[in-house]
Amino acid sequence: MKVLDSLSRWMGYVSSAIIIILMLLVTADVCGRYFLNSPITGASELARFMMIIIVFPALAWAALAGKHIKVDILVERFPRRVQAIVSRIMLLAALGIYGIITWRSALYSMEVDNITSMLRLPQSIFYWIMTVGFAVFCLSIIALVIKSIAGVVKR
Amino acid sequence: MSPETIGAIGLAVLIILLFAGMWIGAAMALIGFVGYVLIMGLEPAFSVVSMIPFTTMSTYMMTTIPLYVFMGVILFQSGVGADLYETAYTWVGQLRGGLASATVIACALFAAITGVSSPALVTMGKVALPAMRKYHYDDNLALGSIACAGGLAFLIPPSVVLIIYGVLTQTSISKLYMAGFIPGVLLAGLFIGVIMLITLRRPTAGPAGPKTSLKSKIISLKLTWPTVLLFLVVLGGIYLGVFTPTEGGAVGAFGALVITAAMRRLSFRKFLDSLLESTQTTALVMLLIIGAYILMKFLAVSQLTTLMSTFISDLAVPNMVIFAGIVILYIILGMFLDIISAVILTIPVIFPMVMALGFDPIWYGVMVVILVEMGLVTPPVGMDAFMLSGAISIPVSKIFKSVIPFLAAEVVCIILLAAFPQIALWLPGTM
C-alpha cells in the first residue's frame, strides 16, 4: 500500500512538472513568434502530447486523494453498512471498466508504430505512458476497495 | 431490442449508478462501453475504449484546461481576491448597500482572471463577510451576494466550464469566451440592482460604509492593476486573435506567477500547492471528459439522441416552450451536481436536441452556464452553497434562504438572453 501511495504521488509530481513545462513552452512559443519572429517548431504538437503526460500519470494520485466527483445525496441516507457495500460495488464496477480500458490500451500500445508528424517521435511512447497511468489507476482502485473492507476508510 | 431501447435503458441505468454514488466519469464510461457492446459488438467496443482516451486528450484544445486551472489557483493562493475587495470597497463602500455591491464587483473582477467559483467564494467569505458584519449588514444580503456573485467566475471569461462546453461540442472557445463577457457584466449589474432595491426598501439591511477620499480611491487602484492587466492581455489577446485560447492560458498562468512573485505574495510552498492542486483537478476533470466521450459514442450509435431530436423538433409547440423545459431540467440537475459534471453529463444527450431546434451553440453555452449556476446555490445540494457554508461555518440552510432575491436576478438575465440573444452573440460576432 505504501509503495502504491508513493508511486502514485511521484507520478503525480511528474504530471505537475509537465504542466509547468507546457506553460513555459507555449509562452516561449508566443514570445518567439511575436518578438523574435521565430516560433518553436512543433510546439503545438509537443503541447498535445504533453497533455497525455499531464493527465494519465496523475489519475491514481487523484483517485487516492479521494476528491472524486460523485453524487452523495441518496447514498448518505442509507445505513452505514449498506453505504459501505454499495460503495465497494461501485468501486468494483469502476475497476471493471478501467480494467478493460487498461487492457485494450496495452494491446493497442504494442501495435502503434506511428511517428509524430513534426517532431518524429514514436507515438507508442505516449500510448505506453497512458497505459501505465491507467494500470496504476486500477491498482489504486483495488487499494481503495481493500481499505474499505479493512475498515480503514470510515465513510 | 432496438438500439433506441438500449440507449434509453442505458441512460436509466446511468442515473441509477450515479445515485448509487459511482464516480461520474466511470459510470459514463461503463454505460457507454456496455451499450456499445450490445449494439455494435465486442470488438468495435474494444477499439472505441482503446482509442478514445488517447485521441481526446491529445488535442490542442485540451491543453487549455490545466493552464486556466493553474492560473486561477495561483491567483487564489496569492490572495489577490482580498485586494480586489479592498479596491471595490474603497470605491463603492460609502453607498447604501455598498459593501454588498463591492462584493459583487470584486467577484466579477476575480471572475475575469479565474475560471472556477471556489476562489471567489472562499475569499469573499473570509474578507467581505466580516466587513459587512462589522457594518451590521443584514446577513441575508451579505450571504446571498457572496454565494451568487461567486458563480460569475463561470460566466465571465476565462471560464473552465465554457472551455469544457467548447471541447465537447466542437464550438470555438474564443467565441464562447467573448459570448460570456457581456452577459456576465449584465448579471453582475442585475445583482447590484437587487442590492439597491433591497436597501432602498429597508435601509437598515445595508448601511453605507465610511466615506473615502478621491485620493484613497486612486491609491486603492494600485492593488487592482495586476488583475486588470492580466485580463486585458489574456482576453484582449484572444479577442484580437493574437493568441489561441491555449496561448492565452499559458501567458496568463505565467503572468500570474510573475506578478504574484513580484508582489511577494507567492512563496515556494504556495506555488507548489497551487501546482499540485491543479494537477489533481485536471486529472479528475479529464476522467469525466473521457467518460462523456465514450458515452457519446454509444448514444450516437443507439440513434436515441437523433430520435429524441426529431421527436422534439416535430412537436407542435413553440421552441421557447421546449427551451423552458430544458431550463427546468438544468435547474434540477444543478441541485444534484456541480456545474462541471452537470455540463459534461448533459451535453451528450441534450446538445443534439438543442441544435435540432435551431438554437445557436454559442448562445446556448452561455445559457447553460447561467442555468447550472442557479442550481449551485439552491437546495438540496447546491455545491456552491455548501462550499461557502464550509468556508465560513454557517448553516447551509441560511445560505439557501439568502440567495432568493439574487435568483430573481438570474431569472431576469435568462429571460433577457432568451429575448435578445444578441447580448451574448454580438461581441463574438465582431471578432
Side-chain angles (χ1 to χ4, degrees), chain A residues 16 33-34 48 51 61 67-70 75 86 98 104 108 127, chain B residues 19-20 23-24 26 51 57-58 63 242 247 276 279-280 284 341:
Chain A
S16 307
R33 191 171 69 216
Y34 284 103
R48 282 173 41 215
M51 265 320 276
W61 182 50
K67 288 191 198 155
H68 259 278
I69 305 167
K70 56 184 183 180
V75 183
V86 171
Y98 290 122
R104 296 316 295 196
Y108 195 73
Y127 270 96
Chain B
F19 275 108
W23 295 343
I24 296 174
M51 304 288 283
M57 287 305 114
S58 65
T63 56
V242 177
E247 289 165 352
L276 299 183
T279 312
Q280 286 192 342
L284 292 175
S341 322

PDB file of all heavy atoms in Angstrom, chain A residues 16 33-34 48 51 61 67-70 75 86 98 104 108 127, chain B residues 19-20 23-24 26 51 57-58 63 242 247 276 279-280 284 341:
ATOM      1  N   SER A  16       2.660  17.191 -12.714  1.00  0.00           N
ATOM      2  CA  SER A  16       2.713  18.600 -12.316  1.00  0.00           C
ATOM      3  C   SER A  16       3.860  19.318 -13.022  1.00  0.00           C
ATOM      4  O   SER A  16       3.701  20.437 -13.513  1.00  0.00           O
ATOM      5  CB  SER A  16       2.912  18.725 -10.809  1.00  0.00           C
ATOM      6  OG  SER A  16       1.937  17.974 -10.132  1.00  0.00           O
ATOM      7  N   ARG A  33       7.318  33.951 -31.465  1.00  0.00           N
ATOM      8  CA  ARG A  33       6.600  34.284 -32.691  1.00  0.00           C
ATOM      9  C   ARG A  33       6.486  35.795 -32.858  1.00  0.00           C
ATOM     10  O   ARG A  33       6.668  36.313 -33.948  1.00  0.00           O
ATOM     11  CB  ARG A  33       5.223  33.634 -32.643  1.00  0.00           C
ATOM     12  CG  ARG A  33       4.489  33.691 -33.951  1.00  0.00           C
ATOM     13  CD  ARG A  33       3.235  32.844 -33.888  1.00  0.00           C
ATOM     14  NE  ARG A  33       2.260  33.435 -32.994  1.00  0.00           N
ATOM     15  CZ  ARG A  33       1.443  32.726 -32.216  1.00  0.00           C
ATOM     16  NH1 ARG A  33       1.503  31.411 -32.217  1.00  0.00           N
ATOM     17  NH2 ARG A  33       0.575  33.328 -31.452  1.00  0.00           N
ATOM     18  N   TYR A  34       6.167  36.511 -31.748  1.00  0.00           N
ATOM     19  CA  TYR A  34       5.898  37.933 -31.901  1.00  0.00           C
ATOM     20  C   TYR A  34       7.127  38.810 -31.763  1.00  0.00           C
ATOM     21  O   TYR A  34       7.200  39.866 -32.352  1.00  0.00           O
ATOM     22  CB  TYR A  34       4.805  38.374 -30.930  1.00  0.00           C
ATOM     23  CG  TYR A  34       3.462  37.927 -31.404  1.00  0.00           C
ATOM     24  CD1 TYR A  34       2.830  36.839 -30.832  1.00  0.00           C
ATOM     25  CD2 TYR A  34       2.849  38.565 -32.495  1.00  0.00           C
ATOM     26  CE1 TYR A  34       1.603  36.399 -31.305  1.00  0.00           C
ATOM     27  CE2 TYR A  34       1.631  38.128 -32.975  1.00  0.00           C
ATOM     28  CZ  TYR A  34       1.013  37.051 -32.373  1.00  0.00           C
ATOM     29  OH  TYR A  34      -0.182  36.633 -32.854  1.00  0.00           O
ATOM     30  N   ARG A  48       0.347  18.967 -27.378  1.00  0.00           N
ATOM     31  CA  ARG A  48      -0.704  17.944 -27.411  1.00  0.00           C
ATOM     32  C   ARG A  48      -0.253  16.669 -26.719  1.00  0.00           C
ATOM     33  O   ARG A  48      -1.007  16.054 -25.966  1.00  0.00           O
ATOM     34  CB  ARG A  48      -1.091  17.638 -28.852  1.00  0.00           C
ATOM     35  CG  ARG A  48      -1.998  18.695 -29.454  1.00  0.00           C
ATOM     36  CD  ARG A  48      -2.212  18.433 -30.937  1.00  0.00           C
ATOM     37  NE  ARG A  48      -2.394  17.023 -31.206  1.00  0.00           N
ATOM     38  CZ  ARG A  48      -1.963  16.391 -32.284  1.00  0.00           C
ATOM     39  NH1 ARG A  48      -1.315  17.049 -33.213  1.00  0.00           N
ATOM     40  NH2 ARG A  48      -2.163  15.111 -32.440  1.00  0.00           N
ATOM     41  N   MET A  51      -0.096  16.758 -22.950  1.00  0.00           N
ATOM     42  CA  MET A  51      -1.382  16.528 -22.280  1.00  0.00           C
ATOM     43  C   MET A  51      -1.488  15.090 -21.777  1.00  0.00           C
ATOM     44  O   MET A  51      -2.039  14.827 -20.709  1.00  0.00           O
ATOM     45  CB  MET A  51      -2.542  16.800 -23.246  1.00  0.00           C
ATOM     46  CG  MET A  51      -3.149  18.167 -23.188  1.00  0.00           C
ATOM     47  SD  MET A  51      -3.313  18.822 -21.556  1.00  0.00           S
ATOM     48  CE  MET A  51      -4.859  18.099 -21.032  1.00  0.00           C
ATOM     49  N   TRP A  61      -3.090   9.102  -8.331  1.00  0.00           N
ATOM     50  CA  TRP A  61      -2.867  10.024  -7.218  1.00  0.00           C
ATOM     51  C   TRP A  61      -4.148  10.780  -6.888  1.00  0.00           C
ATOM     52  O   TRP A  61      -4.543  10.915  -5.717  1.00  0.00           O
ATOM     53  CB  TRP A  61      -1.748  10.971  -7.640  1.00  0.00           C
ATOM     54  CG  TRP A  61      -1.321  11.978  -6.652  1.00  0.00           C
ATOM     55  CD1 TRP A  61      -0.985  11.763  -5.350  1.00  0.00           C
ATOM     56  CD2 TRP A  61      -1.170  13.372  -6.896  1.00  0.00           C
ATOM     57  NE1 TRP A  61      -0.615  12.940  -4.771  1.00  0.00           N
ATOM     58  CE2 TRP A  61      -0.715  13.939  -5.703  1.00  0.00           C
ATOM     59  CE3 TRP A  61      -1.351  14.190  -8.019  1.00  0.00           C
ATOM     60  CZ2 TRP A  61      -0.455  15.298  -5.589  1.00  0.00           C
ATOM     61  CZ3 TRP A  61      -1.086  15.533  -7.900  1.00  0.00           C
ATOM     62  CH2 TRP A  61      -0.639  16.075  -6.693  1.00  0.00           C
ATOM     63  N   LYS A  67     -10.826  12.849  -4.086  1.00  0.00           N
ATOM     64  CA  LYS A  67     -11.619  14.017  -4.472  1.00  0.00           C
ATOM     65  C   LYS A  67     -12.540  13.701  -5.643  1.00  0.00           C
ATOM     66  O   LYS A  67     -12.950  14.595  -6.363  1.00  0.00           O
ATOM     67  CB  LYS A  67     -10.683  15.170  -4.861  1.00  0.00           C
ATOM     68  CG  LYS A  67      -9.985  15.785  -3.674  1.00  0.00           C
ATOM     69  CD  LYS A  67      -9.313  17.072  -4.112  1.00  0.00           C
ATOM     70  CE  LYS A  67      -8.257  17.517  -3.136  1.00  0.00           C
ATOM     71  NZ  LYS A  67      -7.255  18.349  -3.797  1.00  0.00           N
ATOM     72  N   HIS A  68     -12.830  12.422  -5.837  1.00  0.00           N
ATOM     73  CA  HIS A  68     -13.632  12.055  -6.998  1.00  0.00           C
ATOM     74  C   HIS A  68     -15.004  12.693  -6.990  1.00  0.00           C
ATOM     75  O   HIS A  68     -15.609  12.881  -5.950  1.00  0.00           O
ATOM     76  CB  HIS A  68     -13.781  10.553  -7.094  1.00  0.00           C
ATOM     77  CG  HIS A  68     -12.864   9.989  -8.101  1.00  0.00           C
ATOM     78  ND1 HIS A  68     -13.165   9.991  -9.425  1.00  0.00           N
ATOM     79  CD2 HIS A  68     -11.629   9.499  -7.990  1.00  0.00           C
ATOM     80  CE1 HIS A  68     -12.155   9.479 -10.095  1.00  0.00           C
ATOM     81  NE2 HIS A  68     -11.202   9.173  -9.248  1.00  0.00           N
ATOM     82  N   ILE A  69     -15.452  13.004  -8.201  1.00  0.00           N
ATOM     83  CA  ILE A  69     -16.710  13.713  -8.323  1.00  0.00           C
ATOM     84  C   ILE A  69     -17.841  12.692  -8.390  1.00  0.00           C
ATOM     85  O   ILE A  69     -17.874  11.856  -9.279  1.00  0.00           O
ATOM     86  CB  ILE A  69     -16.687  14.591  -9.588  1.00  0.00           C
ATOM     87  CG1 ILE A  69     -15.466  15.503  -9.513  1.00  0.00           C
ATOM     88  CG2 ILE A  69     -17.951  15.401  -9.713  1.00  0.00           C
ATOM     89  CD1 ILE A  69     -15.147  16.196 -10.814  1.00  0.00           C
ATOM     90  N   LYS A  70     -18.724  12.723  -7.414  1.00  0.00           N
ATOM     91  CA  LYS A  70     -19.848  11.796  -7.400  1.00  0.00           C
ATOM     92  C   LYS A  70     -21.030  12.411  -6.671  1.00  0.00           C
ATOM     93  O   LYS A  70     -20.920  13.463  -6.065  1.00  0.00           O
ATOM     94  CB  LYS A  70     -19.432  10.488  -6.733  1.00  0.00           C
ATOM     95  CG  LYS A  70     -18.892  10.691  -5.342  1.00  0.00           C
ATOM     96  CD  LYS A  70     -18.398   9.384  -4.750  1.00  0.00           C
ATOM     97  CE  LYS A  70     -17.942   9.678  -3.349  1.00  0.00           C
ATOM     98  NZ  LYS A  70     -17.450   8.569  -2.618  1.00  0.00           N
ATOM     99  N   VAL A  75     -27.159   8.097  -1.253  1.00  0.00           N
ATOM    100  CA  VAL A  75     -26.435   7.066  -0.521  1.00  0.00           C
ATOM    101  C   VAL A  75     -26.259   7.447   0.951  1.00  0.00           C
ATOM    102  O   VAL A  75     -26.341   6.596   1.832  1.00  0.00           O
ATOM    103  CB  VAL A  75     -25.062   6.840  -1.183  1.00  0.00           C
ATOM    104  CG1 VAL A  75     -24.317   5.727  -0.498  1.00  0.00           C
ATOM    105  CG2 VAL A  75     -25.247   6.520  -2.647  1.00  0.00           C
ATOM    106  N   VAL A  86     -22.495  -0.693  -0.954  1.00  0.00           N
ATOM    107  CA  VAL A  86     -22.769  -0.050  -2.242  1.00  0.00           C
ATOM    108  C   VAL A  86     -21.492   0.591  -2.779  1.00  0.00           C
ATOM    109  O   VAL A  86     -21.167   0.453  -3.968  1.00  0.00           O
ATOM    110  CB  VAL A  86     -23.884   1.009  -2.094  1.00  0.00           C
ATOM    111  CG1 VAL A  86     -24.009   1.832  -3.368  1.00  0.00           C
ATOM    112  CG2 VAL A  86     -25.207   0.325  -1.793  1.00  0.00           C
ATOM    113  N   TYR A  98     -12.320   0.484 -16.071  1.00  0.00           N
ATOM    114  CA  TYR A  98     -10.953   0.976 -16.265  1.00  0.00           C
ATOM    115  C   TYR A  98      -9.982  -0.174 -16.498  1.00  0.00           C
ATOM    116  O   TYR A  98      -8.965  -0.006 -17.168  1.00  0.00           O
ATOM    117  CB  TYR A  98     -10.526   1.864 -15.089  1.00  0.00           C
ATOM    118  CG  TYR A  98     -11.272   3.182 -15.085  1.00  0.00           C
ATOM    119  CD1 TYR A  98     -12.030   3.580 -13.992  1.00  0.00           C
ATOM    120  CD2 TYR A  98     -11.247   4.012 -16.203  1.00  0.00           C
ATOM    121  CE1 TYR A  98     -12.740   4.772 -14.001  1.00  0.00           C
ATOM    122  CE2 TYR A  98     -11.954   5.197 -16.222  1.00  0.00           C
ATOM    123  CZ  TYR A  98     -12.698   5.576 -15.130  1.00  0.00           C
ATOM    124  OH  TYR A  98     -13.402   6.749 -15.158  1.00  0.00           O
ATOM    125  N   ARG A 104      -7.057  -2.996 -23.080  1.00  0.00           N
ATOM    126  CA  ARG A 104      -7.092  -2.709 -24.506  1.00  0.00           C
ATOM    127  C   ARG A 104      -6.045  -1.656 -24.888  1.00  0.00           C
ATOM    128  O   ARG A 104      -5.509  -1.698 -25.996  1.00  0.00           O
ATOM    129  CB  ARG A 104      -8.487  -2.213 -24.927  1.00  0.00           C
ATOM    130  CG  ARG A 104      -9.594  -3.219 -24.754  1.00  0.00           C
ATOM    131  CD  ARG A 104      -9.278  -4.616 -25.213  1.00  0.00           C
ATOM    132  NE  ARG A 104      -9.053  -4.760 -26.645  1.00  0.00           N
ATOM    133  CZ  ARG A 104      -9.070  -5.921 -27.289  1.00  0.00           C
ATOM    134  NH1 ARG A 104      -9.328  -7.048 -26.635  1.00  0.00           N
ATOM    135  NH2 ARG A 104      -8.827  -5.987 -28.574  1.00  0.00           N
ATOM    136  N   TYR A 108      -3.178  -2.090 -27.672  1.00  0.00           N
ATOM    137  CA  TYR A 108      -3.050  -1.122 -28.735  1.00  0.00           C
ATOM    138  C   TYR A 108      -1.658  -0.496 -28.745  1.00  0.00           C
ATOM    139  O   TYR A 108      -1.088  -0.253 -29.814  1.00  0.00           O
ATOM    140  CB  TYR A 108      -4.125  -0.040 -28.584  1.00  0.00           C
ATOM    141  CG  TYR A 108      -4.304   0.790 -29.825  1.00  0.00           C
ATOM    142  CD1 TYR A 108      -4.941   0.246 -30.939  1.00  0.00           C
ATOM    143  CD2 TYR A 108      -3.827   2.085 -29.898  1.00  0.00           C
ATOM    144  CE1 TYR A 108      -5.085   0.977 -32.084  1.00  0.00           C
ATOM    145  CE2 TYR A 108      -3.973   2.835 -31.047  1.00  0.00           C
ATOM    146  CZ  TYR A 108      -4.607   2.278 -32.142  1.00  0.00           C
ATOM    147  OH  TYR A 108      -4.752   3.008 -33.279  1.00  0.00           O
ATOM    148  N   TYR A 127       1.485   6.280 -25.889  1.00  0.00           N
ATOM    149  CA  TYR A 127       0.482   5.258 -25.606  1.00  0.00           C
ATOM    150  C   TYR A 127       0.873   4.458 -24.373  1.00  0.00           C
ATOM    151  O   TYR A 127       0.038   4.143 -23.530  1.00  0.00           O
ATOM    152  CB  TYR A 127       0.303   4.322 -26.801  1.00  0.00           C
ATOM    153  CG  TYR A 127      -0.760   4.817 -27.738  1.00  0.00           C
ATOM    154  CD1 TYR A 127      -0.432   5.569 -28.872  1.00  0.00           C
ATOM    155  CD2 TYR A 127      -2.098   4.556 -27.488  1.00  0.00           C
ATOM    156  CE1 TYR A 127      -1.413   6.042 -29.726  1.00  0.00           C
ATOM    157  CE2 TYR A 127      -3.090   5.013 -28.332  1.00  0.00           C
ATOM    158  CZ  TYR A 127      -2.740   5.761 -29.450  1.00  0.00           C
ATOM    159  OH  TYR A 127      -3.721   6.223 -30.274  1.00  0.00           O
TER     160      TYR A 127
ATOM    161  N   PHE B  19     -26.756   7.810  -8.700  1.00  0.00           N
ATOM    162  CA  PHE B  19     -27.338   7.973  -7.369  1.00  0.00           C
ATOM    163  C   PHE B  19     -26.763   6.970  -6.381  1.00  0.00           C
ATOM    164  O   PHE B  19     -26.802   7.185  -5.177  1.00  0.00           O
ATOM    165  CB  PHE B  19     -28.859   7.890  -7.427  1.00  0.00           C
ATOM    166  CG  PHE B  19     -29.474   9.202  -7.764  1.00  0.00           C
ATOM    167  CD1 PHE B  19     -30.051   9.435  -9.011  1.00  0.00           C
ATOM    168  CD2 PHE B  19     -29.445  10.236  -6.848  1.00  0.00           C
ATOM    169  CE1 PHE B  19     -30.584  10.660  -9.326  1.00  0.00           C
ATOM    170  CE2 PHE B  19     -29.974  11.469  -7.157  1.00  0.00           C
ATOM    171  CZ  PHE B  19     -30.548  11.684  -8.395  1.00  0.00           C
ATOM    172  N   ALA B  20     -26.230   5.849  -6.901  1.00  0.00           N
ATOM    173  CA  ALA B  20     -25.587   4.890  -6.001  1.00  0.00           C
ATOM    174  C   ALA B  20     -24.194   5.376  -5.617  1.00  0.00           C
ATOM    175  O   ALA B  20     -23.497   4.712  -4.860  1.00  0.00           O
ATOM    176  CB  ALA B  20     -25.515   3.518  -6.666  1.00  0.00           C
ATOM    177  N   TRP B  23     -18.425   6.953  -9.256  1.00  0.00           N
ATOM    178  CA  TRP B  23     -17.721   8.090  -9.853  1.00  0.00           C
ATOM    179  C   TRP B  23     -18.383   8.417 -11.179  1.00  0.00           C
ATOM    180  O   TRP B  23     -18.612   7.526 -12.003  1.00  0.00           O
ATOM    181  CB  TRP B  23     -16.257   7.736 -10.113  1.00  0.00           C
ATOM    182  CG  TRP B  23     -15.464   7.471  -8.879  1.00  0.00           C
ATOM    183  CD1 TRP B  23     -15.797   7.817  -7.603  1.00  0.00           C
ATOM    184  CD2 TRP B  23     -14.196   6.800  -8.801  1.00  0.00           C
ATOM    185  NE1 TRP B  23     -14.817   7.408  -6.744  1.00  0.00           N
ATOM    186  CE2 TRP B  23     -13.823   6.783  -7.441  1.00  0.00           C
ATOM    187  CE3 TRP B  23     -13.336   6.230  -9.744  1.00  0.00           C
ATOM    188  CZ2 TRP B  23     -12.631   6.210  -7.005  1.00  0.00           C
ATOM    189  CZ3 TRP B  23     -12.163   5.661  -9.313  1.00  0.00           C
ATOM    190  CH2 TRP B  23     -11.810   5.658  -7.956  1.00  0.00           C
ATOM    191  N   ILE B  24     -18.661   9.695 -11.394  1.00  0.00           N
ATOM    192  CA  ILE B  24     -19.455  10.068 -12.566  1.00  0.00           C
ATOM    193  C   ILE B  24     -18.744   9.676 -13.862  1.00  0.00           C
ATOM    194  O   ILE B  24     -19.353   9.127 -14.778  1.00  0.00           O
ATOM    195  CB  ILE B  24     -19.776  11.573 -12.529  1.00  0.00           C
ATOM    196  CG1 ILE B  24     -20.653  11.861 -11.308  1.00  0.00           C
ATOM    197  CG2 ILE B  24     -20.477  12.005 -13.796  1.00  0.00           C
ATOM    198  CD1 ILE B  24     -20.921  13.324 -11.069  1.00  0.00           C
ATOM    199  N   ALA B  26     -16.551   7.293 -14.346  1.00  0.00           N
ATOM    200  CA  ALA B  26     -16.540   5.842 -14.505  1.00  0.00           C
ATOM    201  C   ALA B  26     -17.906   5.349 -14.955  1.00  0.00           C
ATOM    202  O   ALA B  26     -18.016   4.480 -15.822  1.00  0.00           O
ATOM    203  CB  ALA B  26     -16.142   5.170 -13.190  1.00  0.00           C
ATOM    204  N   MET B  51      -9.080   3.719 -28.123  1.00  0.00           N
ATOM    205  CA  MET B  51      -8.727   4.929 -28.866  1.00  0.00           C
ATOM    206  C   MET B  51      -9.137   6.215 -28.151  1.00  0.00           C
ATOM    207  O   MET B  51      -8.398   7.194 -28.143  1.00  0.00           O
ATOM    208  CB  MET B  51      -9.418   4.931 -30.236  1.00  0.00           C
ATOM    209  CG  MET B  51      -9.140   3.725 -31.090  1.00  0.00           C
ATOM    210  SD  MET B  51      -7.467   3.752 -31.716  1.00  0.00           S
ATOM    211  CE  MET B  51      -7.649   4.954 -33.010  1.00  0.00           C
ATOM    212  N   MET B  57      -7.559  13.219 -25.391  1.00  0.00           N
ATOM    213  CA  MET B  57      -6.662  14.009 -24.550  1.00  0.00           C
ATOM    214  C   MET B  57      -5.574  14.699 -25.357  1.00  0.00           C
ATOM    215  O   MET B  57      -5.127  15.779 -24.992  1.00  0.00           O
ATOM    216  CB  MET B  57      -6.013  13.118 -23.481  1.00  0.00           C
ATOM    217  CG  MET B  57      -6.950  12.702 -22.386  1.00  0.00           C
ATOM    218  SD  MET B  57      -7.763  14.094 -21.584  1.00  0.00           S
ATOM    219  CE  MET B  57      -9.454  13.831 -22.059  1.00  0.00           C
ATOM    220  N   SER B  58      -5.130  14.058 -26.439  1.00  0.00           N
ATOM    221  CA  SER B  58      -4.019  14.658 -27.182  1.00  0.00           C
ATOM    222  C   SER B  58      -4.528  15.639 -28.229  1.00  0.00           C
ATOM    223  O   SER B  58      -4.127  15.593 -29.371  1.00  0.00           O
ATOM    224  CB  SER B  58      -3.168  13.575 -27.830  1.00  0.00           C
ATOM    225  OG  SER B  58      -3.927  12.893 -28.803  1.00  0.00           O
ATOM    226  N   THR B  63      -5.352  21.342 -23.882  1.00  0.00           N
ATOM    227  CA  THR B  63      -4.274  21.936 -23.096  1.00  0.00           C
ATOM    228  C   THR B  63      -4.738  23.201 -22.364  1.00  0.00           C
ATOM    229  O   THR B  63      -4.108  23.621 -21.419  1.00  0.00           O
ATOM    230  CB  THR B  63      -3.079  22.302 -23.997  1.00  0.00           C
ATOM    231  OG1 THR B  63      -3.554  23.170 -25.025  1.00  0.00           O
ATOM    232  CG2 THR B  63      -2.453  21.088 -24.619  1.00  0.00           C
ATOM    233  N   VAL B 242      -4.596  37.473 -31.388  1.00  0.00           N
ATOM    234  CA  VAL B 242      -3.158  37.386 -31.174  1.00  0.00           C
ATOM    235  C   VAL B 242      -2.804  36.016 -30.589  1.00  0.00           C
ATOM    236  O   VAL B 242      -1.787  35.423 -30.930  1.00  0.00           O
ATOM    237  CB  VAL B 242      -2.685  38.503 -30.219  1.00  0.00           C
ATOM    238  CG1 VAL B 242      -1.199  38.377 -29.933  1.00  0.00           C
ATOM    239  CG2 VAL B 242      -3.005  39.860 -30.804  1.00  0.00           C
ATOM    240  N   GLU B 247      -2.739  29.566 -25.779  1.00  0.00           N
ATOM    241  CA  GLU B 247      -1.658  30.518 -25.572  1.00  0.00           C
ATOM    242  C   GLU B 247      -2.056  31.553 -24.534  1.00  0.00           C
ATOM    243  O   GLU B 247      -1.243  31.945 -23.691  1.00  0.00           O
ATOM    244  CB  GLU B 247      -1.283  31.186 -26.896  1.00  0.00           C
ATOM    245  CG  GLU B 247      -0.583  30.208 -27.826  1.00  0.00           C
ATOM    246  CD  GLU B 247      -0.501  30.685 -29.266  1.00  0.00           C
ATOM    247  OE1 GLU B 247      -1.112  31.720 -29.597  1.00  0.00           O
ATOM    248  OE2 GLU B 247       0.156  30.005 -30.064  1.00  0.00           O
ATOM    249  N   LEU B 276       0.169  21.363  -7.509  1.00  0.00           N
ATOM    250  CA  LEU B 276      -0.319  20.014  -7.247  1.00  0.00           C
ATOM    251  C   LEU B 276      -1.840  19.971  -7.284  1.00  0.00           C
ATOM    252  O   LEU B 276      -2.442  19.042  -7.823  1.00  0.00           O
ATOM    253  CB  LEU B 276       0.211  19.509  -5.894  1.00  0.00           C
ATOM    254  CG  LEU B 276       1.744  19.424  -5.822  1.00  0.00           C
ATOM    255  CD1 LEU B 276       2.189  18.847  -4.485  1.00  0.00           C
ATOM    256  CD2 LEU B 276       2.311  18.584  -6.950  1.00  0.00           C
ATOM    257  N   THR B 279      -2.977  19.891 -10.842  1.00  0.00           N
ATOM    258  CA  THR B 279      -2.788  18.588 -11.473  1.00  0.00           C
ATOM    259  C   THR B 279      -3.930  17.652 -11.111  1.00  0.00           C
ATOM    260  O   THR B 279      -4.504  16.984 -11.983  1.00  0.00           O
ATOM    261  CB  THR B 279      -1.458  17.958 -11.016  1.00  0.00           C
ATOM    262  OG1 THR B 279      -0.434  18.918 -11.133  1.00  0.00           O
ATOM    263  CG2 THR B 279      -1.123  16.738 -11.850  1.00  0.00           C
ATOM    264  N   GLN B 280      -4.285  17.627  -9.838  1.00  0.00           N
ATOM    265  CA  GLN B 280      -5.365  16.724  -9.419  1.00  0.00           C
ATOM    266  C   GLN B 280      -6.687  17.135 -10.050  1.00  0.00           C
ATOM    267  O   GLN B 280      -7.429  16.285 -10.556  1.00  0.00           O
ATOM    268  CB  GLN B 280      -5.505  16.742  -7.898  1.00  0.00           C
ATOM    269  CG  GLN B 280      -4.378  15.987  -7.225  1.00  0.00           C
ATOM    270  CD  GLN B 280      -4.652  15.740  -5.744  1.00  0.00           C
ATOM    271  OE1 GLN B 280      -5.488  16.392  -5.144  1.00  0.00           O
ATOM    272  NE2 GLN B 280      -3.933  14.800  -5.180  1.00  0.00           N
ATOM    273  N   LEU B 284      -9.004  14.791 -12.628  1.00  0.00           N
ATOM    274  CA  LEU B 284     -10.381  14.393 -12.335  1.00  0.00           C
ATOM    275  C   LEU B 284     -11.343  14.893 -13.415  1.00  0.00           C
ATOM    276  O   LEU B 284     -12.251  14.170 -13.831  1.00  0.00           O
ATOM    277  CB  LEU B 284     -10.796  14.914 -10.960  1.00  0.00           C
ATOM    278  CG  LEU B 284     -10.041  14.240  -9.811  1.00  0.00           C
ATOM    279  CD1 LEU B 284     -10.405  14.872  -8.482  1.00  0.00           C
ATOM    280  CD2 LEU B 284     -10.322  12.748  -9.780  1.00  0.00           C
ATOM    281  N   SER B 341     -19.675  18.746 -13.741  1.00  0.00           N
ATOM    282  CA  SER B 341     -20.292  17.447 -14.013  1.00  0.00           C
ATOM    283  C   SER B 341     -21.617  17.613 -14.731  1.00  0.00           C
ATOM    284  O   SER B 341     -21.937  16.840 -15.633  1.00  0.00           O
ATOM    285  CB  SER B 341     -20.547  16.672 -12.724  1.00  0.00           C
ATOM    286  OG  SER B 341     -19.527  16.843 -11.822  1.00  0.00           O
TER     287      SER B 341
END
